[in-house]
Amino acid sequence: MGATGNVGRPLVQALAEAGEQVTAVSRGVSDAGVPEGVRHAQADMTDPESLRPVFDGADALFLHDGGGSAHPFSPQDILDVAKAGGVGRVVWLSSQGVVTRTQSSSHGDVGRSREDAVRQSGMDWTILRPGGFHSNAYAWAGSIRTGRTVAAPFGDVGLPTVDPADIAGVAATTLREDGHTGRFYELTGPDLGTPRQRAEAIGDALGEPIRFIEQTREEARAQMLQFMPELVVETTLDILGEPTLAEQRISPDVERVLGRTPRTFADWVQRHIAAFR
């Protein structure tokens, strides 16, 4: 569930290409971007009873909250309905911040309670904990298109952001294959990258220089508050500005599950450069 986002789209594609019967579930009514042959269902996760037809005949479920704040829901209620419908396996997309930001109610308490619901569901479960996404750079697309500039705080602080397609690859594998029950997978990219370096990578792909403007924390905070809750903003800025050693650690889990190194940010940019032209 959550079939239209940065992870959901490549996950649905990967499962369809593997020959699985997939039902792509999202809040919207459009099936744009859903591969041919894939059933699309509109559903409201805040109304678990409405999901019973979706789970009929399914044996595995991918579930995440899409960031959590806009449409809060109860994972426990959804998992109960899924289990009653015959679903025996669940892969939950969580967040690295659940374990690295234990004092933050936005990333810690809420995230841990949702992971607990998955672990106590009585289903075979796997929990994925990615750090930041390569695709967060979409936030720069407008300023790059109009002025070839990027504004961001903490320009020289590195984090190992991960390709959403790699998250989707790990999710597809754990949904389809045995041997992953009860596992937590921390998902990162292959190297540390700073905002300044990511802006340079986009410029290299465009063949034009990108001017990097370093924001203060307060400038970034004011901008982020326009579309994110305050607790999430503060925690995000803490991670971006003063990451823990755990948040800068490059995890081997993508390679362990997929048998290849994670994709770099530069590779992600090449595949999505149209968004920045």
Side-chain angles (χ1 to χ4, degrees):
M1 301 186 66
T4 57
N6 291 317
V7 175
R9 286 181 186 275
L11 173 57
V12 169
Q13 184 71 43
L15 292 172
E17 290 176 355
E20 300 290 346
Q21 294 184 344
V22 185
T23 298
V25 182
S26 65
R27 290 181 61 87
V29 296
S30 173
D31 59 1
V34 176
E36 185 176 355
V38 171
R39 174 192 174 204
H40 177 255
Q42 181 188 13
D44 185 351
M45 290 192 293
T46 65
D47 181 12
E49 287 299 318
S50 71
L51 299 171
R52 289 192 182 277
V54 174
F55 295 136
D56 185 27
D59 55 23
L61 168 67
F62 172 77
L63 185 63
H64 73 100
D65 63 2
S69 60
H71 304 285
F73 67 95
S74 168
Q76 182 65 66
D77 292 343
I78 292 175
L79 292 167
D80 287 346
V81 173
K83 186 178 179 181
V87 177
R89 176 176 295 178
V90 58
V91 174
W92 172 254
L93 181 59
S94 185
S95 167
Q96 185 187 58
V98 168
V99 289
T100 63
R101 296 285 158 172
T102 56
Q103 302 305 312
S104 167
S105 61
S106 60
H107 282 74
D109 293 344
V110 173
R112 282 191 300 277
S113 69
R114 291 183 169 187
E115 286 191 1
D116 288 346
V118 172
R119 293 190 299 109
Q120 296 165 10
S121 66
M123 303 159 68
D124 292 341
W125 58 266
T126 307
I127 292 176
L128 311 183
R129 291 172 172 165
F133 291 13
H134 291 343
S135 54
N136 290 347
Y138 279 138
W140 300 340
S143 65
I144 290 175
R145 287 195 303 265
T146 59
R148 293 297 189 250
T149 62
V150 163
F154 315 116
D156 298 306
V157 178
L159 287 167
T161 59
V162 63
D163 194 322
D166 285 344
I167 302 172
V170 172
T173 298
T174 54
L175 283 166
R176 299 180 64 238
E177 298 181 2
D178 294 331
H180 303 284
T181 298
R183 300 287 186 90
F184 297 89
Y185 290 125
E186 180 181 346
L187 307 181
T188 73
D191 50 31
L192 295 176
T194 69
R196 196 183 308 276
Q197 290 169 334
R198 289 192 285 275
E200 290 174 356
I202 297 171
D204 290 344
L206 288 170
E208 299 181 40
I210 301 295
R211 184 167 65 95
F212 184 83
I213 303 169
E214 183 151 2
Q215 294 176 312
T216 66
R217 180 181 175 117
E218 285 307 308
E219 288 171 338
R221 181 178 184 275
Q223 184 177 26
M224 295 165 69
L225 283 173
Q226 297 177 30
F227 55 90
M228 295 169 64
E230 184 174 4
L231 281 175
V232 176
V233 169
E234 296 298 343
T235 302
T236 300
L237 289 170
D238 288 344
I239 294 171
L240 294 176
E242 297 181 355
T244 66
L245 291 177
E247 288 161 347
Q248 290 188 306
R249 172 179 175 267
I250 296 168
S251 170
D253 287 349
V254 169
E255 186 166 4
R256 283 175 177 167
V257 176
L258 299 183
R260 60 164 176 78
T261 58
R263 296 181 178 93
T264 65
F265 179 77
D267 179 77
W268 178 87
V269 171
Q270 290 289 345
R271 300 192 334 263
H272 300 279
I273 193 60
F276 302 96
R277 294 195 184 282

